Every structure is written in structure tokens, then in C-alpha cells.
Amino acid sequence: MGCSRANVRYPLMLTILGFAMIATFLVLIMMKKMSPIAALVLIPALFCVFVGKGAKLGDYVLDGVTDLAPTAAMLMFAIVYFGVMIDVGLFDPIVRGILKFCKADPMRIVVGTAVLAAIVSLDGDGSTTFMITVSAMYPLYKRLKMSLVVMTGVAAMANGVMNTLPWGGPTARAATALKLDASDIFVPMIPALLVGLLFVFVLSYVLGVRERRRLGVLTLDEVLVEEKESETVLVGAGGSGDGKVSMRKGGTGATGGAGSGADAPEAAADSADDDGFQGLDPHRATLRPKLYWFNALLTVTLLTAMIMELLPIPVLFLLGAALALTVNFPHIPDQKARLAAHADNVLNVSGMVFAAAVFTGVLQGTGMVDQMAKWMVDVIPAGMGPHMAVVTGVLSLPLTYFMSNDGFYFGVLPVLAEAGAAHGVSPVEMARASLVGQPLHMSSPLVPAVYVLVGMAKVEFGDHTKFVVKWAALTCLVILGAGLLFGII
């Protein structure tokens, strides 16, 4: 009898401690009591001891590192590759086009951020999307003192919707887990996903209007008078004062302060940081206009190879980075200088990934994540059986936020699909519903790409989380509602 009770209590204890660990982590980073790296390492280590498996912490961490090492390698060399491409000017025409559309209107800038993130997301890789989007838009947000969490939030949501592409990961995982064809899952979901993307654009418009009201009507003197001046002011919006930013509100002079508001916690940025900021200088020494088409072809080839899975993604980026450095900067001192220029981002992101390996390793190794998922499935009322697709869509929000995609799609989705099949719900409907949570998933602390986003944008992860969670969850529910309306789910 005593043994039976112990067997019942231990899984319950794991469930409670699992939720407590995640809650502790989120509270501490949102309150800025700990840095994300410290929280990702120390909190799971402490809870591992609470579970009574402190002696196995080393094994759990090594397992987590082994699982995430390819991701860390991919991010390291992806940052170097796209950093070099930004240095040599590959994306300057795209940046100029977006900024010409945006001018100095906060509403257009926020909408332009969403559009740019959605377009770049076609490659299926979140880190690539965030590197290009932030590199293009950060100078304008910083110079005009716009809320940087608006930029990170909009980019994350747009990428989250586009992450459902068959080569993006979740769709392929769902298809593999339930033994389905990826096209049978994705193609019917296109209308609902388009509604979700449209909602992100509308939300971007609303957030942009809010920024416009907060900052007033902004104009950049000499903007778009000439192409050259447009490039200098917008693409190279340095902090020396040469950009001649003037701000007018209601036709009268106004100070372009950062403003305040619950959704812009970092808006009151240090002006000294702004003064030292330099954007994409159209006359920088690293530009390689004669190699533009080589770099464009190399990038297209690299992305095509990623989509076709010709080689593992880390290997592709390793080869691409080596080739890009060698061709664009044949002299070794120049190569060292480019690597040094991007070393800060590489160290921050790779460090965060390996810290996250401790978190995921403890969650999985102790069995907490399995018990949490089992508990959530068990609490579903029996009467909800015929509506298991809707239940799966709703559960995908918290489960893909607190778990890795692999854990959800290979561990939880098959259990949900089996329960749905018992009530006549087809596996393909369950698979489509499982994609609903991706806009929120892209801001999960377990997604390495989000650290690229917040790191390059110089935004605290806690601030990003507080801003984006409600909007991303709403986007997920819009996609679920559209799927139900169109009869897809």
C-alpha cells in the first residue's frame, strides 16, 4: 500500500516541481532579478536537487548539450555568415527599399518590420530572419527612439506564423510523428495561416499607430530628397547628429523623448547609448559591390540546400561562412577583423543555447516534462473527446512554449491523436491543430533563435516576454478560429 502511494505521489511531485521550475524561471527573468543565462543554469540545477536526482545532474546536462550542440554550431556560423553578408552590402538594397517605404513614420516602420520578417522567414530559419530584420530596422527604431520590444515582438510573431512552412520544422515533425504527408497537413492550413499573417500585419499597424501617437509626427529633414541622402540618413542613421532628426507634434516643436507605457519598458533608453550608435553606413569599408552577385548566388544556393536538406544545416553554414570569408576578405587580417566584429553576438547566443541545454536536460532527464504533459492530457474532460482537435490547438500554446518542438510533436501529439482517434477525430486534423501555437512558440525561452533576436536588438528577454506573450497568444487563437471557420480543423 505504502509503495503504491509513493508511486502515485512521485509523478505528481514531478508535475508540480516542473511547473514550479518554469514559473520561477519566468518570474525571475521578467522581474530582472537574474540574467537569462544564470536563470537557465541555476534554477534547473536547484530543482534537480529538489527532485532527489542531484547526483545525475551532470548526465542530464551532457544529454542536453549533446542535443543542442548542432543548434549552437548552426547559430554560431549562421551569425558569422549573415554578419559577413550584411558587412559586404548584400542586403542593403532590401534595407533601402523597406526604409524608403517606412520613411520616418512609426506606423510604416512597424508594418515594414512585419513584412520584412515574413519575407525573410521564407528560408525557414528563425535566426536568419531575426539577424536580417534587426540589422535592417534597428538603426531606425533606435534613432527615432521607438520601442524596441515592438520590433522584437512583431518580428517574432511574423516568423512564428511563417515557421509552419513544411521546411520550417513543426509541420515536418507533426507529419513524422503521425505518419502523414506534410502537404496534407500544410496545404489545407494555408487560408488559416494567411489570416494569422494578416492579423500580424493589422496588429503591426495598430502598434505603429500607438507609437506614432506616443512620439508625435516625426520627420527626417532631407529624407528622400536624393537617393544618396536617403541612404545616408536612413541606412546609416548614426548617432553623431548628422541625420538631423526633427520631431513635431501637432505642428509645434516637441522633444523627441522616449515616452513611457506598459508595452514599452525599454523605451526610455539611455541617450548615451544612442549617441554612440552607428547604423549601416552606405560607405563602409567592408562593402564589396563587385562581388554582389556572387554573394547573392551563394546565399540563394545555401538557402536552397537548406530547404532540400542536402547536408545538415550546421555543416552548410560552416561551409558557407568559410567560403564567404575567403572570397570577400582574402587577407587573413581582414578575416580576423570580421570574426572579431561578430564575436560578441556569437558568444552571447551560443552561451545562451548551452545554458538552455541545462534547462531542457533537467526537464527531460528527471521526467518532469513527461509528467507535465501527461497531467495536461489527463485533465481533459471526457466530454471533450469529439473536440480533441480544438483541445490540441489550445494546448499547443502552453505546451510548445514550455517544451521543445521535438518534445511536443514526438511526445505529446501522438497521445492526443490517439485520444482523438477514439472519438472519430482524424490524425490529419490533429496535426493541423498542433501548428496553431507556433507564433507563441517562437518567443519561448527554449528557442535559441529568440536570443539572437533580443541580443541583437539589445532588449531584455523579460521585457520581450512581457510584451509579446499576450499578442502572440491572440495570434494563435485567430489562426485556430480561422481554421474552425474554414472547416480545416
Side-chain angles (χ1 to χ4, degrees):
M1 180 68 73
C3 182
S4 177
R5 287 179 179 174
N7 290 338
V8 172
R9 288 173 182 169
Y10 188 67
L12 180 60
M13 181 189 74
L14 286 178
T15 302
I16 294 172
L17 287 177
F19 283 115
M21 184 174 87
I22 292 169
T24 302
F25 168 77
L26 291 175
V27 168
L28 287 176
I29 62 169
M30 285 193 287
M31 294 180 66
K32 300 182 182 178
K33 298 298 183 182
M34 294 183 74
S35 69
I37 285 184
L40 284 168
V41 172
L42 297 179
I43 292 172
L46 184 62
F47 274 83
C48 186
V49 174
F50 288 164
V51 171
K53 296 188 177 182
K56 295 185 178 181
L57 177 62
D59 294 333
Y60 297 154
V61 172
L62 289 178
D63 288 342
V65 169
T66 301
D67 291 340
L68 290 181
T71 300
M74 182 272 288
L75 289 175
M76 288 172 62
F77 291 105
I79 289 171
V80 172
Y81 179 83
F82 284 103
V84 169
M85 290 298 112
I86 291 167
D87 291 339
V88 300
L90 177 63
F91 302 110
D92 280 17
I94 299 174
V95 173
R96 285 196 296 269
I98 293 288
L99 298 185
K100 185 181 293 185
F101 163 77
C102 294
K103 298 184 180 179
D105 182 355
M107 182 274 290
R108 289 190 177 200
I109 291 170
V110 179
V111 173
T113 301
V115 172
L116 179 60
I119 292 172
V120 182
S121 294
L122 289 170
D123 75 341
D125 179 58
S127 56
T128 302
T129 298
F130 297 148
M131 280 188 282
I132 295 174
T133 302
V134 174
S135 296
M137 305 307 295
Y138 180 86
L140 210 51
Y141 276 81
K142 193 69 176 177
R143 189 61 183 163
L144 301 182
K145 301 189 183 299
M146 293 175 62
S147 171
L148 292 172
V149 290
V150 170
M151 176 180 69
T152 60
V154 165
M157 287 185 286
N159 178 250
V161 176
M162 298 297 288
N163 193 47
T164 55
L165 292 167
W167 53 88
T171 301
R173 288 181 174 91
T176 303
L178 300 184
K179 298 179 175 57
L180 300 169
D181 190 291
S183 61
D184 292 337
I185 300 172
F186 176 73
V187 174
M189 276 293 287
I190 290 177
L193 295 172
L194 287 177
V195 170
L197 190 60
L198 178 62
F199 177 78
V200 172
F201 292 154
V202 172
L203 179 59
S204 302
Y205 172 82
V206 172
L207 294 173
V209 169
R210 179 187 296 183
E211 283 293 280
R212 180 195 284 169
R213 289 172 180 168
R214 182 172 68 84
L215 294 168
V217 178
L218 296 88
T219 61
L220 287 176
D221 293 344
E222 305 171 342
V223 67
L224 298 180
V225 172
E226 299 179 10
E227 178 67 17
K228 181 178 179 180
E229 292 184 12
S230 170
E231 292 177 15
T232 301
V233 174
L234 293 178
V235 180
S240 62
D242 295 338
K244 298 182 180 178
V245 179
S246 66
M247 301 187 181
R248 298 196 302 269
K249 190 169 184 177
T252 61
T255 302
S260 61
D263 289 335
E266 90 308 323
D270 192 331
S271 61
D273 181 49
D274 183 48
D275 289 341
F277 174 75
Q278 293 293 329
L280 290 177
D281 181 3
H283 306 296
R284 57 193 183 277
T286 57
L287 289 176
R288 297 292 186 268
K290 293 182 180 180
L291 293 172
Y292 182 85
W293 291 112
F294 166 79
N295 289 317
L297 180 61
L298 177 61
T299 302
V300 170
T301 302
L302 178 63
L303 298 180
T304 302
M306 284 173 54
I307 294 171
M308 296 179 66
E309 299 180 351
L310 298 181
L311 285 172
I313 293 179
V315 176
L316 289 172
F317 273 118
L318 193 157
L319 294 173
L323 187 57
L325 277 170
T326 302
V327 174
N328 287 284
F329 302 97
H331 301 295
I332 292 179
D334 293 336
Q335 293 180 13
K336 289 182 177 179
R338 288 302 89 211
L339 289 173
H342 303 293
D344 189 35
N345 280 334
V346 169
L347 180 60
N348 285 336
V349 172
S350 58
M352 202 74 72
V353 171
F354 286 121
V358 180
F359 197 92
T360 57
V362 170
L363 264 181
Q364 294 171 359
T366 58
M368 285 191 283
V369 70
D370 294 331
Q371 293 304 322
M372 291 162 61
K374 186 176 183 298
W375 177 81
M376 294 191 77
V377 172
D378 289 343
V379 298
I380 298 173
M384 293 297 294
H387 309 289
M388 280 302 295
V390 177
V391 171
T392 299
V394 173
L395 286 179
S396 70
L397 275 69
L399 289 180
T400 58
Y401 187 79
F402 295 131
M403 299 172 63
S404 66
N405 269 340
D406 285 338
F408 174 71
Y409 286 103
F410 295 121
V412 178
L413 182 58
V415 177
L416 293 171
E418 187 175 343
H423 293 86
V425 181
S426 67
V428 72
E429 289 181 87
M430 300 291 288
R432 293 169 191 163
S434 70
L435 301 178
V436 165
Q438 287 306 303
L440 180 60
H441 169 75
M442 285 311 299
S443 292
S444 165
L446 303 181
V447 174
V450 75
Y451 298 112
V452 176
L453 175 64
V454 298
M456 293 187 67
K458 297 179 175 62
V459 169
E460 291 290 337
F461 182 78
D463 291 338
H464 171 76
T465 300
K466 284 189 287 187
F467 174 81
V468 78
V469 165
K470 57 183 178 295
W471 299 120
L474 185 57
T475 303
C476 297
L477 295 178
V478 168
I479 294 174
L480 178 60
L484 293 172
L485 182 64
F486 296 144
I488 301 167
I489 298 174

